[in-house]
Amino acid sequence: RVAGADPAADAAGVALAVFPSAAPGTHPTAVALAPTDDWQAAIASSVLMASPIHAPILLSPSSALPSATSSALTTLAPTGSGSVGGAQVITIGDVPAPKGLRSATIKGSDPYVLAAGIDRFVSAAQGRTSTDVMIASATNAPYAMPAAGWAAESGNPVLFVNSTTIPSATRQALLAHQSPHIYVLGPPNVIPDAI
């Protein structure tokens, strides 16, 4: 059981289970820091756990790092990822940059823009765009959550749509992939066939 007192503590527990950081070779090269109040950002960030970055996700509000997150960062002691310019922390959205660590920042004005920014960041780290893309609902968290496991394992980015449109940022990201295989997550009442 990962029995954290809150989501940030649970994220820290999972990160430390994957990267015990107790001996050489057990530290991550980078850590992703996602907002506690933005589930879309956290799901889209899960692709950062895949190759070549392998960054576990920690959580933080915009005000200050929670003690569980700060403590996990100290223990994890990310070494710096060459695939992302030596960054030790990748901040996603509205989170504070930890002091004393080299950070890369991905910002976005809404879930669609932020997910597209994460996609561009990962494509740059890989040196190519993915041939597969996962489309999930930006308005229905339970149906979107399984995309996190897929992205973390496969390295396929998660992009968002809603039930009425394909937002411009998502459309542009799909065009950048040059006819990828598109996997739509959810039934037609969540993401209609017309979308």
Side-chain angles (χ1 to χ4, degrees):
R1 179 185 299 270
V2 179
D6 56 37
D10 275 349
V14 170
L16 289 165
V18 176
F19 292 98
S21 303
T26 63
H27 296 267
T29 58
V31 172
L33 188 57
T36 52
D37 62 350
D38 187 345
W39 61 265
Q40 297 98 331
I43 289 172
S45 298
S46 63
V47 71
L48 298 168
M49 182 59 188
S51 181
I53 304 170
H54 300 292
I57 299 174
L58 297 177
L59 300 174
S60 178
S62 59
S63 55
L65 293 178
S67 61
T69 299
S70 183
S71 176
L73 271 171
T74 299
T75 302
L76 290 165
T79 57
S81 175
S83 64
V84 294
Q88 296 166 285
V89 176
I90 304 162
T91 60
I92 310 296
D94 190 15
V95 295
K99 291 179 175 48
L101 296 174
R102 293 181 304 280
S103 295
T105 301
I106 305 171
K107 295 278 188 188
S109 56
D110 61 40
Y112 313 102
V113 174
L114 187 56
I118 293 167
D119 177 30
R120 283 191 304 278
F121 185 89
V122 170
S123 293
Q126 293 174 336
R128 59 175 174 72
T129 57
S130 172
T131 58
D132 302 314
V133 175
M134 171 69 65
I135 296 293
S137 170
T139 57
N140 195 317
Y143 280 104
M145 286 181 187
W150 179 304
E153 173 63 24
S154 68
N156 301 155
V158 179
L159 298 170
F160 292 109
V161 297
N162 56 50
S163 63
T164 59
T165 62
I166 302 170
S168 175
T170 300
R171 184 178 303 279
Q172 291 304 314
L174 288 170
L175 289 171
H177 282 268
Q178 303 174 359
S179 301
H181 300 113
I182 300 172
Y183 296 92
V184 179
L185 183 59
N189 64 321
V190 174
I191 301 176
D193 289 339
I195 297 299

